[in-house]
Amino acid sequence: MKALDEFESRLGGWVIRWRGPVIAASLVLAVAATWGTLFLEFSADHRVYFSKNNPELLAYETMEDTYGKSDNVFFTIVPEDRDATSARALEATAWLTGQSWQIPFASRVDSITNYQHTTALGDDILVRELVDETSIGDADERSRIRATALGEPRLAGRLLALDGGVSGINVNLQMPGEDQMREGAHVTEYARGLMDRFRERFPGIDVRLTGLVTFNQTFMEVSVGDLKTLVPASFAAMTLMLVLLTRGFLGTFAIMVVVTLSVMTAVGLGGWVGLPMSSPAAIAPIVVLTVAIANCVHIFSTLVHCLQGAASRTAADRGGGPLIPRTRTGNPGHDAIIESIRVNLQPVFLSGLTTAFGFLSLNLSEVPPFRQLGTFVAFGVGAAFVYSVTLLPALLSLLPIRARESRLGHDTLMAMLGEFVVRRRRALLWGAGLVVAGLVASIPRNELNDVFLHYFDERVEFRRAADFTIENLTGLYTMEYSLQSAGPGAISDPAYLADVDAFAEWYKEQSETVHVSAITDIFRQLNMSMNGDDPAEYRLPANRELAAQYLLLYEMSLPYGLDLNNEIDVDKSATRMRVAMQTLSSNEIIALDRRAKHWLGENAPNIVRPESSGTTLMFAHLGRRNIIAMLVGTTLALVGISFALIFALRSWRLGLTSLVPNLIPGALGFGIWGLTVGEVGVSLSMVTAMTLGIVVDDSVHFLSRYQRARREIGYRSPDAVRVAFRTVGRALLTTSLVLVAGFIVVSLSSFELNAGMGKLTALVIALALVADFLLLPPLLMWFDAGIDTDRTLPSFRRRRRRRDAPPPITTLRRPGQD
């Protein structure tokens, strides 16, 4: 380890000597990396949240291959008088229905006005639109339209509210998929423009926009919005906090330069390697910002301590807290920089390494955007370490940084806290144990509960439109079932139709169901129409040949774009049934689907290989799969961090002891979350792995100072704890406050996945600071009780320690050093 000690001692001097080239090289590296931002692409497809081999995604794509894509936009028409069948409302609906065909990639438009209604015409059937625009002024005709629509199972509760107050228009889209972001943006922009024209043409009638394409586009817009608002807000908040906490503009300037370059490098490297930018990944710059600031604050804080030591050689006699530089160059500022790098190089590297471990473990997540977030941050952590030990000291050597005597007051408070912890260590250990036990017992109160429509808060227009549509028209949570018959053409088999009809009726009886659309509704209507519109004949055809003839006659009568290809497969061997539901949690959705499949297995022998799919079911399963994946990721991160700490600290005992205060904050955070919120979504399942690397930062710096006091000065454990509090306590407080502030800014995101993660992460980091101040020192003193020397790894040489150490002061001078 002599070579490492030599490197630590010389790096600062080398950087100061070659500061010009170092600054130039750093800028060149940052510019080269930032060039990669030109290759960044935003993703506007909900499929990016699923791995390519995700079972639910594969089932979803199979469903699309069979029946066509489910991409759509949905207009909700809201008359001021809440009468969707008034003359004015029907005129508006008919106009918007016709205009919707002009939406890019539109393949089908459904509304109450163009619904293909069948009536008897002698021995034949007449298929025509439900609404004749030339006769909507007739009150009797409007009454017929209203009665027919509310009595039609395929309209009532889907395209017309059960009370007749609101109606809907569904536009199916067949987008090529060559450039999903541009295609979705084009569709959404056109649809919004159509809404504006509608409002101008029909004042007094409002319109809301939802649908899968709008949902996807909202993901992208929220990502861009976070980049435009949260990142600048984070920079402003961090700068203000640094000025207040460091009481210096020059130091803050140097730190923010390093932080800015770290963020630019992280995002640029992500572009170079082809990482897409999505809503979760959009917070990567904020995370890098906070982590980079933590590194810089430790180096700058130590620099200030050293300047204080150089300014007052009698500080130790006053009980103050300066570090006294070991190197004498004739320039106190340069001496302080060299000493700061020597003292901080190892802990800064170690904290960066553990943070990278934590975020790289996100690559085991089932959600690709979170993998990309982890990689972005890992790039930023690496860049932050390089810049903080090279560029930062180079910049500081050019600035007239001076120590302020008033800073000693902060160290006095830390000294008082250290003294309190030393004297009350047993009470703190017992008290911490009780608190930990109580909060850990609350963890089971958390329930996995994702509501994907609530990924956006109520500030987002899509969320408001979705909530209104769900409350007033129909459910936007849908599940789709592909119901396979015995073979080609077998969907006309009465036994198969009876099973499908029974399944649809079973679903209608479930309390979660809002609307069910099945092919049997069409067969019932056709059978009634072919029997003179006799209501008694509203039932399924009696034999297969008759059902097949009815279906063929109906399909030949349908206009272009309104066929049944979205409900029946090509060889007529399977049909699709759609179920619209209330807004449910992921557990409720999975449970409902399991009940449905169990019913099919027990009661529908003529339906073979039923398959369920849909975006609702995909997102419901995602959280459960991600938790299992992140248990593995967290375990691997824990193992990697453990070995890194043991190796760097050269002590099995210290390395393993440090894990206790690093694991407990995550458990406490989820315990408090269970008491206050009780719901854990897909993003919160990764907080433990993510924060594990971050919270290690404080304990690494505390342990580094503690260990240096033990090894270099020979202090006993309580005295070494006092030294650690006085030398690094304020820096730990500063970095933790900065980290908490950074993630509080993340919690302001309108994207709930990011907001929830920001809240819980900020809570865990705050708890980690408490654990490092009140739990880690008592643990160290307990483990070190009666031990004169650390039990180091066999491959490392033990250092001799003085047993006659003087009363604790916060210098890190070796015994006998001037």
Side-chain angles (χ1 to χ4, degrees):
M1 304 303 293
K2 184 176 180 180
L4 178 58
D5 293 339
E6 190 72 17
F7 180 74
E8 290 176 346
S9 300
R10 293 190 175 187
L11 178 60
W14 181 86
V15 169
I16 293 174
R17 180 180 179 185
W18 300 99
R19 55 192 173 192
V22 166
I23 294 173
S26 299
L27 293 176
V28 170
L29 173 63
V31 170
T34 304
W35 196 264
T37 56
L38 297 176
F39 308 109
L40 281 176
E41 294 184 356
F42 285 86
S43 179
D45 186 357
H46 66 282
R47 292 176 180 84
V48 302
Y49 286 82
F50 304 90
S51 304
K52 292 182 179 180
N53 59 351
N54 181 281
E56 286 74 39
L57 177 62
L58 295 176
Y60 179 76
E61 292 176 339
T62 299
M63 187 83 72
E64 287 192 330
D65 291 340
T66 304
Y67 302 103
K69 292 186 176 182
S70 300
D71 295 334
N72 75 310
V73 293
F74 191 91
F75 296 102
T76 302
I77 300 175
V78 189
E80 193 174 38
D81 59 0
R82 288 304 183 96
D83 183 2
T85 57
S86 67
R88 184 66 169 166
L90 289 174
E91 179 188 357
T93 304
W95 182 86
L96 187 55
T97 300
Q99 293 297 315
S100 293
W101 284 103
Q102 304 304 315
I103 295 176
F105 315 116
S107 62
R108 182 187 181 97
V109 181
D110 290 292
S111 72
I112 60 172
T113 59
N114 75 342
Y115 175 71
Q116 300 302 299
H117 182 56
T118 62
T119 54
L121 185 63
D123 294 333
D124 206 346
I125 60 172
L126 176 64
V127 181
R128 62 180 179 178
E129 292 183 346
L130 178 62
V131 177
D132 181 357
E133 293 185 56
T134 62
S135 58
I136 57 176
D138 186 338
D140 292 338
E141 176 65 10
R142 293 198 305 275
S143 296
R144 181 194 69 83
I145 292 171
R146 184 182 182 88
T148 301
L150 291 176
E152 173 53 59
R154 297 172 68 83
L155 291 180
R158 177 172 175 257
L159 296 179
L160 181 65
L162 296 178
D163 63 357
V166 176
S167 66
I169 299 175
N170 185 66
V171 184
N172 286 102
L173 306 160
Q174 294 294 323
M175 298 189 295
E178 298 174 357
D179 190 340
Q180 193 77 26
M181 186 183 74
R182 292 183 183 276
E183 292 166 3
H186 189 28
V187 168
T188 305
E189 181 182 1
Y190 191 96
R192 287 171 177 167
L194 192 56
M195 290 170 58
D196 293 337
R197 289 161 51 197
F198 177 91
R199 291 183 176 119
E200 292 177 3
R201 189 180 183 95
F202 301 98
I205 302 180
D206 196 13
V207 61
R208 313 288 177 91
L209 180 65
T210 56
L212 188 56
V213 173
T214 313
F215 177 70
N216 290 338
Q217 183 64 16
T218 304
F219 271 125
M220 195 272 291
E221 292 171 348
V222 168
S223 302
V224 175
D226 282 353
L227 287 174
K228 289 182 177 179
T229 58
L230 296 186
V231 174
S234 294
F235 268 89
M238 298 300 101
T239 302
L240 178 61
M241 287 195 66
L242 284 174
V243 170
L244 295 176
L245 293 171
T246 64
R247 297 188 180 181
F249 289 98
L250 294 178
T252 299
F253 168 77
I255 290 173
M256 293 311 297
V257 169
V258 171
V259 168
T260 302
L261 295 186
S262 299
V263 172
M264 293 168 59
T265 301
V267 177
L269 289 177
W272 279 115
V273 301
L275 295 179
M277 184 63 71
S278 56
S279 295
I283 67 168
I286 303 174
V287 179
V288 174
L289 167 69
T290 56
V291 173
I293 284 180
N295 287 345
C296 296
V297 165
H298 282 293
I299 293 174
F300 183 76
S301 178
T302 304
L303 163 65
V304 173
H305 276 283
C306 291
L307 286 174
Q308 291 173 343
S312 177
R313 300 297 301 276
T314 62
D317 297 333
R318 297 199 309 264
L323 296 169
I324 298 181
R326 298 170 58 181
T327 307
R328 298 284 182 268
T329 65
N331 186 322
H334 291 180
D335 294 343
I337 291 172
I338 294 171
E339 180 69 6
S340 179
I341 296 299
R342 184 189 77 83
V343 171
N344 285 291
L345 181 62
Q346 183 194 60
V348 166
F349 172 76
L350 189 57
S351 63
L353 182 64
T354 56
T355 302
F357 271 137
F359 278 95
L360 286 176
S361 71
L362 299 186
N363 279 274
L364 294 176
S365 169
E366 280 287 320
V367 186
F370 289 121
R371 300 177 199 166
Q372 294 144 17
L373 169 64
T375 305
F376 271 119
V377 176
F379 283 147
V381 169
F385 168 73
V386 173
Y387 291 139
S388 62
V389 299
T390 56
L391 178 60
L392 179 61
L395 290 174
L396 292 175
S397 69
L398 297 174
L399 300 175
I401 306 290
R402 293 182 177 85
R404 297 187 181 185
E405 289 296 322
S406 60
R407 293 182 186 273
L408 295 176
H410 295 276
D411 299 326
T412 301
L413 292 176
M414 284 297 155
M416 293 172 61
L417 177 59
E419 191 66 28
F420 169 80
V421 171
V422 169
R423 293 183 180 276
R424 303 290 183 181
R425 53 184 179 271
R426 291 184 179 83
L428 288 173
L429 273 178
W430 281 104
L434 293 174
V435 171
V436 170
L439 290 179
V440 168
S442 302
I443 293 178
R445 296 173 64 93
N446 288 296
E447 178 185 1
L448 176 62
N449 186 10
D450 258 338
V451 181
F452 78 86
L453 283 180
H454 293 175
Y455 281 178
F456 312 106
D457 67 20
E458 295 180 355
R459 291 173 292 174
V460 179
E461 174 60 31
F462 175 85
R463 167 69 184 278
R464 296 196 298 271
D467 287 345
F468 180 87
T469 301
I470 291 169
E471 292 174 4
N472 294 275
L473 179 56
T474 189
L476 295 182
Y477 267 40
T478 60
M479 275 199 289
E480 300 176 350
Y481 290 87
S482 180
L483 306 176
Q484 188 77 28
S485 66
I491 63 170
S492 299
D493 184 354
Y496 169 81
L497 290 176
D499 283 351
V500 173
D501 189 58
F503 184 45
E505 291 301 319
W506 177 86
Y507 242 121
K508 291 176 183 178
E509 294 173 356
Q510 307 309 303
S511 60
E512 302 94 334
T513 303
V514 174
H515 182 266
V516 178
S517 177
I519 194 68
T520 52
D521 295 327
I522 293 178
F523 277 104
R524 287 175 180 274
Q525 179 66 37
L526 290 173
N527 192 72
M528 186 180 73
S529 297
M530 293 299 295
N531 286 276
D533 287 335
D534 182 2
E537 295 297 324
Y538 187 74
R539 54 186 175 83
L540 296 175
N543 61 72
R544 177 169 177 170
E545 291 74 17
L546 188 62
Q549 291 176 12
Y550 286 172
L551 183 61
L552 177 62
L553 181 62
Y554 179 68
E555 287 187 299
M556 292 178 61
S557 303
L558 293 174
Y560 174 79
L562 295 177
D563 52 42
L564 297 179
N565 290 338
N566 64 329
E567 296 186 63
I568 302 176
D569 71 346
V570 175
D571 64 356
K572 292 181 170 53
S573 63
T575 63
R576 175 162 67 175
M577 188 179 87
R578 291 192 183 94
V579 181
M581 302 167 293
Q582 300 172 1
T583 301
L584 304 175
S585 71
S586 55
N587 285 340
E588 292 170 332
I589 292 167
I590 293 173
L592 178 61
D593 181 53
R594 286 176 177 171
R595 296 203 320 262
K597 288 183 176 178
H598 177 75
W599 188 94
L600 286 169
E602 295 289 328
N603 301 281
N606 297 289
I607 298 176
V608 297
R609 300 191 309 276
E611 297 290 340
S612 58
S613 183
T615 54
T616 301
L617 197 58
M618 291 164 63
F619 278 101
H621 281 282
L622 186 61
R624 191 178 300 272
R625 292 183 181 279
N626 195 60
I627 284 181
I628 297 174
M630 288 316 302
L631 285 175
V632 178
T634 303
T635 301
L636 292 178
L638 178 61
V639 171
I641 290 172
S642 300
F643 277 105
L645 290 173
I646 291 169
F647 181 83
L649 296 172
R650 291 174 267 175
S651 171
W652 288 96
R653 181 170 44 78
L654 282 182
L656 295 178
T657 300
S658 68
L659 292 178
V660 176
N662 292 326
L663 289 175
I664 284 178
L668 298 183
F670 276 99
I672 295 174
W673 197 265
L675 292 172
T676 57
V677 180
E679 295 181 354
V680 175
V682 62
S683 64
L684 299 188
S685 62
M686 298 176 302
V687 167
T688 300
M690 188 176 70
T691 57
L692 184 59
I694 296 177
V695 301
V696 168
D697 175 83
D698 284 352
S699 59
V700 163
H701 284 276
F702 192 96
L703 285 170
S704 177
R705 299 301 171 86
Y706 172 85
Q707 191 179 49
R708 284 183 183 272
R710 295 273 284 165
R711 287 181 171 175
E712 296 186 4
I713 309 176
Y715 283 166
R716 294 173 303 164
S717 181
D719 296 339
V721 166
R722 293 183 177 101
V723 170
F725 267 102
R726 290 177 178 176
T727 56
V728 80
R730 181 160 52 85
L732 298 187
L733 178 62
T734 300
T735 56
S736 296
L737 289 176
V738 168
L739 288 168
V740 169
F743 282 100
I744 286 177
V745 172
V746 173
S747 72
L748 300 178
S749 172
S750 57
F751 185 56
E752 182 56 34
L753 293 185
N754 291 346
M757 183 174 63
K759 294 173 186 175
L760 185 54
T761 302
L763 175 62
V764 171
I765 292 173
L767 292 170
L769 177 65
V770 175
D772 286 325
F773 278 170
L774 302 182
L775 179 58
L776 178 58
L779 281 174
L780 293 173
M781 288 182 281
W782 182 56
F783 280 116
D784 278 350
I787 299 178
D788 294 333
T789 59
D790 289 335
R791 183 170 301 176
T792 57
L793 290 174
S795 59
F796 296 111
R797 296 176 57 190
R798 297 183 179 179
R799 300 190 182 194
R800 297 182 61 187
R801 291 175 176 76
R802 298 195 316 164
R803 298 295 302 135
D804 56 342
I809 56 175
T810 55
T811 63
L812 291 187
R813 296 174 294 176
R814 292 183 185 275
Q817 181 183 339
D818 186 6

